[in-house]
Amino acid sequence: MWLINSSIGRKVVMSVTGIALIFFLTFHLCMNIVALFSGEGYNTICELLGANWYAIVATLGLAALAVFHIVYAFILTAQNRRARGEERYAVTARPEKVEWASQNMLVLGIIILLGLLLHLYNFWYNMMFAELIGTEALYGPADGFAWIQETFANPVFVVLYVIWIVAIWFHLSHGFWSAMQTLGVNGKIWFNRWKVFGLVYTTLLMLGFLVVVLAFAFGCAPSLCAA
């Protein structure tokens, strides 16, 4: 199957899964914005999702997207390294017109993966997973607002999340337009438009996550003031 065996096919899989994950990040940010303004509203969403069958199916689908994206990223990176052979050691300067993110996608990917594991531990493990297996934790599995406060009261987690968000921004700032190019948006005019749109969109997306983290870290979220 060309999607698996060919380099172009793997890039298509990377592009499609990457765009799907951007849609998820958009949904996730919408949830976080609710938490920014209403703890009760956020907990209502957490209870609606919880360990219900549709949430579990969606989680499994999301996990599959993430696994495909990560695995194919490592496959393509290894493939590119093999193709370059010894030439990669001869390059001492970054080629002109090549973005920093493009040259460091593997490093960014590793940082993002580690951040994802941390995020799963702080939230998914204590919420959906705890509800599935029936364990008791510091807060209830549907009390997502309390878990947000608990997590970002720890300055170490705040710093790690900020680094994670910055890494995701660098990854997306290159990955979005690269995906569009792979999917056939090659015309100079439309490609440049999509590139600008992708940069603006991903920047606003990551700024939204950053605002949520810092608002809870410094205790100035409107939902905290109203509590």
Side-chain angles (χ1 to χ4, degrees):
M1 187 177 180
W2 73 276
L3 282 174
I4 299 174
N5 298 325
S6 72
S7 176
I8 295 177
R10 295 187 187 108
K11 289 180 180 179
V12 169
V13 172
M14 280 280 293
S15 300
V16 173
T17 55
I19 292 173
L21 290 171
I22 290 175
F23 281 127
F24 168 73
L25 286 174
T26 303
F27 168 75
H28 198 355
L29 177 60
C30 291
M31 286 184 59
N32 286 5
I33 290 175
V34 173
L36 194 63
F37 292 97
S38 172
E40 183 179 350
Y42 183 73
N43 283 347
T44 299
I45 296 174
C46 292
E47 188 173 358
L48 178 65
L49 296 176
N52 298 303
W53 69 267
Y54 47 83
I56 295 173
V57 170
T59 300
L60 292 174
L62 178 63
L65 287 174
V67 168
F68 272 112
H69 193 77
I70 293 168
V71 169
Y72 273 61
F74 279 103
I75 291 175
L76 284 171
T77 299
Q79 177 182 302
N80 291 337
R81 284 178 173 269
R82 284 197 304 269
R84 290 176 61 190
E86 295 298 325
E87 290 182 7
R88 69 178 183 272
Y89 299 110
V91 178
T92 56
R94 181 164 62 95
E96 293 184 7
K97 298 184 179 179
V98 175
E99 298 177 349
W100 180 88
S102 176
Q103 294 289 298
N104 295 276
M105 289 296 272
L106 179 61
V107 174
L108 291 171
I110 292 173
I111 295 173
I112 292 170
L113 178 59
L114 293 175
L116 176 61
L117 294 175
L118 174 66
H119 188 60
L120 289 174
Y121 170 74
N122 284 331
F123 294 97
W124 179 82
Y125 175 78
N126 289 312
M127 297 174 69
M128 180 182 284
F129 183 74
E131 185 176 352
L132 283 172
I133 64 175
T135 60
E136 293 186 5
L138 186 61
Y139 305 106
D143 196 356
F145 190 70
W147 285 113
I148 290 177
Q149 294 179 76
E150 177 73 18
T151 300
F152 299 128
N154 187 328
V156 174
F157 284 152
V158 172
V159 171
L160 292 176
Y161 269 83
V162 170
I163 293 173
W164 186 38
I165 290 170
V166 171
I168 295 175
W169 179 82
F170 273 112
H171 186 80
L172 294 183
S173 67
H174 168 77
F176 184 90
W177 67 259
S178 179
M180 299 308 297
Q181 187 177 49
T182 297
L183 295 176
V185 183
N186 295 318
K188 183 176 181 181
I189 294 177
W190 275 104
F191 176 71
N192 288 334
R193 289 174 179 174
W194 275 110
K195 191 172 183 178
V196 171
F197 172 80
L199 180 60
V200 172
Y201 187 82
T202 55
T203 298
L204 292 176
L205 192 64
M206 291 302 105
L207 276 177
F209 283 111
L210 187 62
V211 166
V212 171
V213 170
L214 296 180
F216 278 95
F218 289 101
C220 58
S223 54
L224 294 176
C225 299

